[in-house]
Amino acid sequence: MSGPGPSLPRRLARYGAAALWVATAFSVRPAAAPPARRTARPSKAEIAADRRRDLLTYGIGYGLALALTLLAFALVYWRWAEPPVALALVFGLGLVQVLVQFRCFLHIDFKGQARDDLLLILFSTLIVLLMVGGTLVVLFNLRARMM
Amino acid sequence: MTDPQLRHVGLKVGGFEAIDVEEAETGIFGFWVFLMSDAILFALLFAVYGTQLAATAGAPGPAAEFKIDSAFWETMVLLLSSFTYGMSSFAMKYGGQLRWVVGMLLVTLVLGLTFLGMEANDFAVMIHDGATPDRSGFLSAFFALVPTHGLHVVAGCSWIVVMLVQVAAFGLDDRVKINLLRLGLFWHFLDVIWIAIFSVVYLQGVMR
């Protein structure tokens, strides 16, 4: 551990952290000061930075949603994959797009200000999975037995 | 609660004067509760649709009835409307230039109505082909799921009109701002539901 550079795991961790930071960069508030009590109005620079970031969020959200839709459409329209694979891909792309829209348009993230909303959404997702999953299992089982 | 801003709103609209922040937060959170109950409604309609997919009973099936081009353009229109609504919220947050807020709302309304027109045309063609809800389990499930989303879009469009009237009557005061935020959640949520319909109903349907 006395080499000239940092150890490999540490370097990997650093790269990982950097990648994570890039991935969430558009959600990071670039203000240098900690989010302490804001007594005065935010400065012009802060507003400008927020403004740019919000616009970027909408732009990225729209671009990603568009790309994911086009990809799913192309998969089916030009038959790029066999039906079972294509179906799985279409559902996967749809799911990713739902996440993108929740993040960029509905502004749900893991950063505090919407924690209650996030918990509500996660709980609803659990309920949905249980009810939809249960319905599908029971009824497909019934169909298989009756056919 | 150190930051005197709306915490439930991603587009944190600061500078509320007449309403205290907690009241605004509660209002937005309550609307999320409604949205999630609506999501459960849609999820179960999707589940029913999934179970009825093969139950065509000799009536026209998905591959014969779905027009993928039309569904694709409807998706594009609704997605763009989601973005234009976002631009309206954006304009409201920064400076609140009435011209932009109202202009983008109007564009969103036109796109919403375009979507509804295209969808109504799709249904009319299906019914003309004899694909009516009473023909099969599949068609019943289809007409339970997709028009429910259409009705939501009708409600959304009416709500946009109501908000335009409110903006005209009151200007962008605190209550109008909060209402616009709620409408925004509703509108973006409808686009999310449509993505599921496009994937599960239309893309899966023409694949078969």
Side-chain angles (χ1 to χ4, degrees):
Chain A
M1 285 300 187
S2 57
S7 66
L8 184 63
R10 186 165 294 181
R11 218 180 308 164
L12 280 179
R14 198 171 292 171
Y15 288 147
L20 211 65
W21 189 86
V22 169
T24 56
F26 61 90
S27 69
V28 173
R29 183 182 290 265
R37 173 177 286 273
R38 231 182 227 175
T39 45
R41 288 188 164 274
S43 71
K44 274 228 166 90
E46 264 183 316
I47 291 178
D50 277 3
R51 187 189 155 91
R52 208 183 50 232
R53 196 200 53 205
D54 281 343
L55 197 59
L56 202 61
T57 303
Y58 276 115
I60 288 173
Y62 184 61
L64 277 178
L66 208 58
L68 289 164
T69 304
L70 287 173
L71 194 55
F73 176 75
L75 263 174
V76 174
Y77 199 76
W78 286 292
R79 301 185 186 285
W80 284 355
E82 289 299 300
V85 182
L87 189 64
L89 284 173
V90 163
F91 283 4
L93 290 169
L95 198 61
V96 171
Q97 181 167 178
V98 168
L99 293 179
V100 165
Q101 294 212 8
F102 263 87
R103 172 63 193 86
C104 294
F105 290 165
L106 289 162
H107 309 292
I108 297 298
D109 58 28
F110 293 95
K111 283 197 177 44
Q113 92 262 12
R115 188 63 61 81
D116 290 350
D117 297 355
L118 183 66
L119 283 179
L120 175 72
I121 291 165
L122 291 178
F123 180 67
S124 308
T125 308
L126 176 70
I127 299 283
V128 161
L129 288 178
L130 285 177
M131 293 203 295
V132 172
T135 305
L136 293 179
V137 167
V138 169
L139 284 175
F140 280 124
N141 185 272
L142 197 62
R143 180 196 296 279
R145 283 165 192 278
M146 288 176 64
M147 286 298 168
Chain B
M1 300 296 271
T2 50
D3 200 351
Q5 284 187 320
L6 265 186
R7 285 145 57 93
H8 282 302
V9 189
L11 269 177
K12 285 162 284 183
V13 178
F16 282 96
E17 284 128 31
I19 299 181
D20 77 2
V21 176
E22 232 163 281
E23 189 187 336
E25 274 188 27
T26 310
I28 299 286
F29 182 70
F31 196 72
W32 266 109
V33 174
F34 160 72
L35 281 186
M36 288 299 105
S37 66
D38 222 27
I40 288 171
L41 172 86
F42 274 111
L44 291 179
L45 287 174
F46 274 109
V48 170
Y49 180 82
T51 63
Q52 297 300 311
L53 206 48
T56 47
E65 278 311 317
F66 294 163
K67 313 284 180 291
I68 191 64
D69 299 27
S70 166
F72 174 71
W73 287 114
E74 282 160 30
T75 310
M76 290 292 111
V77 167
L78 209 57
L79 185 59
L80 185 60
S81 82
S82 209
F83 180 69
T84 55
Y85 198 100
M87 288 301 95
S88 171
S89 309
F90 178 77
M92 182 174 83
K93 181 178 180 185
Y94 296 101
Q97 272 190 321
L98 212 55
R99 199 155 34 100
W100 275 100
V101 176
V102 171
M104 280 296 152
L105 274 181
L106 283 172
V107 173
T108 309
L109 179 63
V110 168
L111 289 170
L113 292 174
T114 308
F115 170 85
L116 284 172
M118 293 166 83
E119 191 169 49
N121 183 55
D122 282 358
F123 293 156
V125 170
M126 282 182 77
I127 288 169
H128 181 259
D129 290 352
T132 46
D134 55 336
R135 287 288 299 280
S136 67
F138 163 71
L139 287 169
S140 299
F142 173 84
F143 278 104
L145 171 60
V146 182
T148 302
H149 174 270
L151 278 181
H152 277 73
V153 177
V154 171
C157 288
S158 319
W159 195 357
I160 292 182
V161 173
V162 170
M163 286 320 300
L164 287 171
V165 172
Q166 284 196 6
V167 170
F170 306 120
L172 281 178
D173 70 7
D174 288 358
R175 293 206 174 273
V176 172
K177 274 185 184 173
I178 290 180
N179 285 345
L180 280 171
L181 286 176
R182 276 191 281 247
L183 174 54
L185 292 180
F186 186 66
W187 197 265
H188 295 312
F189 173 76
L190 288 187
D191 193 37
V192 172
I193 298 290
W194 180 260
I195 294 307
I197 290 181
F198 183 59
S199 307
V200 173
V201 176
Y202 287 102
L203 287 181
Q204 178 175 214
V206 296
M207 214 181 281
R208 289 175 172 256

